[in-house]
Amino acid sequence: MVTAVTSFGRSGLSDWLLQRISAVILLAYFICIGGTLLGGVDYASWKAMFELTSMRIFSLLAVLSLAAHAWIGMWAVLTDYLTERLMGNKGNVLRIAFQILCSLVIFVYVVWTVQILWGY
Amino acid sequence: MMLNVSIYRYNPETDSEPRMQDFQVDTGGKDLMVLDVLELIKSQDTTVVYRRSCREGVCGSDGLNMNGKNGLACITPLSETVKNNKLVIRPLPGLPVIRDLVVDMSLFYAQYEKVEPYLQNDTPAPAIERLQSPEDREKLDGLYECILCACCSTSCPSFWWNPDRFIGPAGLLQAYRFLADSRDTATNERLAKLDDPFSVFRCHGIQNCVNVCPKGLNPTRAIGHIRNMLLTRAT
């Protein structure tokens, strides 16, 4: 059993399941947005759509899914390529630095999205 | 008919870096196996080093990378791998080279050891043998045939980057072989050891392992079964 404290759910199974569920949610969201855009929108109808509580919940769900999906994906990439095995101790420093950077960026995006959805 | 063969040469004791050496081999117009070609090269240059034993795809010693694809040299005919009369032979990728085409398989074996590839049963042993129904025995088909040649694990990028943490297709095929065995009682303990982000879940399902297995086995499917067992147990 390999331990990992920086993975999203601390368990391979939980990360794997969440990655799939979040992918389905994102697919549904982008189909919904894409369909709306293809149907033709103006400012008023777009604004009205995002004033619906249901759309705000759906949008927030999509953004949280994106955050989890991005974290799990980036974590897998970073632990593949920025490792002690490939780069020596430099790999450990770079990996942790990039992990912190990723989580900060994701956090900022989530807060910013909440502000956009409920702030106007 | 002269075949152009390019072979990876490296002796860590004397060479500063690996190089490719070209040979011309007279195949006599026959569709030889790659191992036959290596034997002909050995008669030209006795310093070329490779592993071989049974020469019939049973022992798993001569796993090599031939024109970019892993396989057993003894059962790979030239007609299957040679393009434009050219054959490039390299050691299995991702493992340290001991010399020329011989790789150090320690990491591969360490992963195999991790899955405890032997039957575990804590109930008292019966007088003669532990019986298994034909249906339960059938579940082991496609799993027990693995010869541990390492063609699959060394074609897997996840294994290249994390050979110390990802068990790899060969080890996971064997893990499932014992998870699926009706006579084994350590199923829960076995699963508990696999539920981390690396051991099983570094598999992203690209199926290089399925593509190269010389015995036609399907490690990706076995890994899927392990995932389902973990999911059933934990949800």
Side-chain angles (χ1 to χ4, degrees):
Chain A
M1 183 106 167
V2 186
T3 50
V5 294
T6 48
S7 76
F8 190 85
R10 311 290 183 273
S11 132
L13 183 68
S14 130
D15 279 9
W16 176 82
L17 189 61
L18 203 58
Q19 192 74 336
R20 262 105 202 123
I21 295 171
S22 59
V24 172
I25 293 170
L26 286 170
L27 181 69
Y29 189 73
F30 284 116
I31 287 174
C32 168
I33 293 291
T36 311
L37 288 174
L38 284 177
V41 282
D42 53 22
Y43 177 75
S45 66
W46 188 251
K47 191 167 186 296
M49 185 170 94
F50 278 91
E51 268 166 10
L52 292 172
T53 305
S54 58
M55 191 59 200
R56 285 177 173 176
I57 290 172
F58 193 20
S59 299
L60 186 62
L61 181 68
V63 165
L64 292 178
S65 297
L66 186 65
H69 199 87
W71 178 246
I72 294 167
M74 288 306 293
W75 187 84
V77 172
L78 296 175
T79 49
D80 264 355
Y81 299 119
L82 300 181
T83 59
E84 189 171 354
R85 212 186 127 69
L86 291 181
M87 314 167 86
N89 197 39
K90 198 173 73 180
N92 293 332
V93 176
L94 276 175
R95 189 175 65 254
I96 294 167
F98 272 99
Q99 283 175 346
I100 294 170
L101 183 71
C102 272
S103 54
L104 279 177
V105 169
I106 290 169
F107 177 71
V108 168
Y109 273 118
V110 169
V111 174
W112 192 11
T113 306
V114 171
Q115 196 192 14
I116 291 170
L117 286 172
W118 271 278
Y120 298 100
Chain B
M1 178 83 168
M2 299 301 272
L3 176 71
N4 297 316
V5 186
S6 180
I7 297 210
Y8 177 99
R9 301 298 309 269
Y10 182 49
N11 181 350
E13 285 170 16
T14 56
D15 304 340
S16 58
E17 56 182 34
R19 66 198 157 86
M20 300 302 289
Q21 186 181 355
D22 292 327
F23 292 92
Q24 294 256 309
V25 180
D26 183 7
T27 58
K30 282 183 271 186
D31 189 14
L32 300 175
M33 296 295 173
V34 173
L35 181 62
D36 299 326
V37 172
L38 281 171
E39 298 283 310
L40 290 169
I41 287 170
K42 186 104 177 160
S43 65
Q44 286 181 32
D45 181 345
T46 53
T47 65
V48 177
V49 180
Y50 52 89
R51 282 197 187 106
R52 58 142 303 166
S53 184
C54 76
R55 62 102 186 92
E56 56 186 14
V58 173
C59 73
S61 301
D62 62 352
L64 291 170
N65 185 278
M66 297 162 287
N67 275 349
K69 189 178 173 187
N70 290 354
L72 296 177
C74 56
I75 53 169
T76 304
L78 292 178
S79 58
E80 215 174 76
T81 178
V82 171
K83 280 177 199 79
N84 302 322
N85 202 38
K86 174 96 180 155
L87 177 60
V88 181
I89 305 178
R90 293 172 181 275
L92 291 175
L95 293 176
V97 173
I98 294 174
R99 187 163 163 181
D100 295 347
L101 302 174
V102 175
V103 290
D104 180 357
M105 309 256 284
S106 308
L107 280 165
F108 176 77
Y109 292 137
Q111 293 300 345
Y112 179 54
E113 215 177 308
K114 258 195 213 170
V115 306
E116 302 175 5
Y118 40 85
L119 196 80
Q120 296 178 34
N121 191 320
D122 49 16
T123 61
I128 302 175
E129 59 190 339
R130 292 192 195 278
L131 295 175
Q132 187 171 43
S133 71
E135 293 75 33
D136 281 337
R137 169 62 188 76
E138 236 170 60
K139 291 178 188 159
L140 308 183
D141 288 342
L143 304 171
Y144 77 92
E145 298 93 330
C146 173
I147 56 173
L148 295 175
C149 63
C151 286
C152 59
S153 291
T154 59
S155 69
C156 174
S158 292
F159 188 75
W160 295 342
W161 312 138
N162 285 298
D164 49 347
R165 296 188 282 188
F166 174 50
I167 287 174
L172 290 170
L173 188 81
Q174 288 318 296
Y176 183 62
R177 182 249 172 275
F178 288 97
L179 286 169
D181 196 315
S182 61
R183 300 162 297 179
D184 192 281
T185 55
T187 311
N188 267 320
E189 293 81 349
R190 290 177 186 280
L191 288 173
K193 287 175 191 157
L194 296 173
D195 182 31
D196 62 85
F198 285 96
S199 301
V200 174
F201 291 97
R202 263 307 129 125
C203 170
H204 300 306
I206 63 165
Q207 302 194 32
N208 276 14
C209 52
V210 184
N211 188 34
V212 298
C213 178
K215 309 300 273 186
L217 307 178
N218 192 330
T220 307
R221 192 190 298 141
I223 293 168
H225 287 311
I226 297 177
R227 245 183 341 233
N228 286 345
M229 288 178 88
L230 284 166
L231 197 61
T232 317
R233 177 176 161 270
T235 46

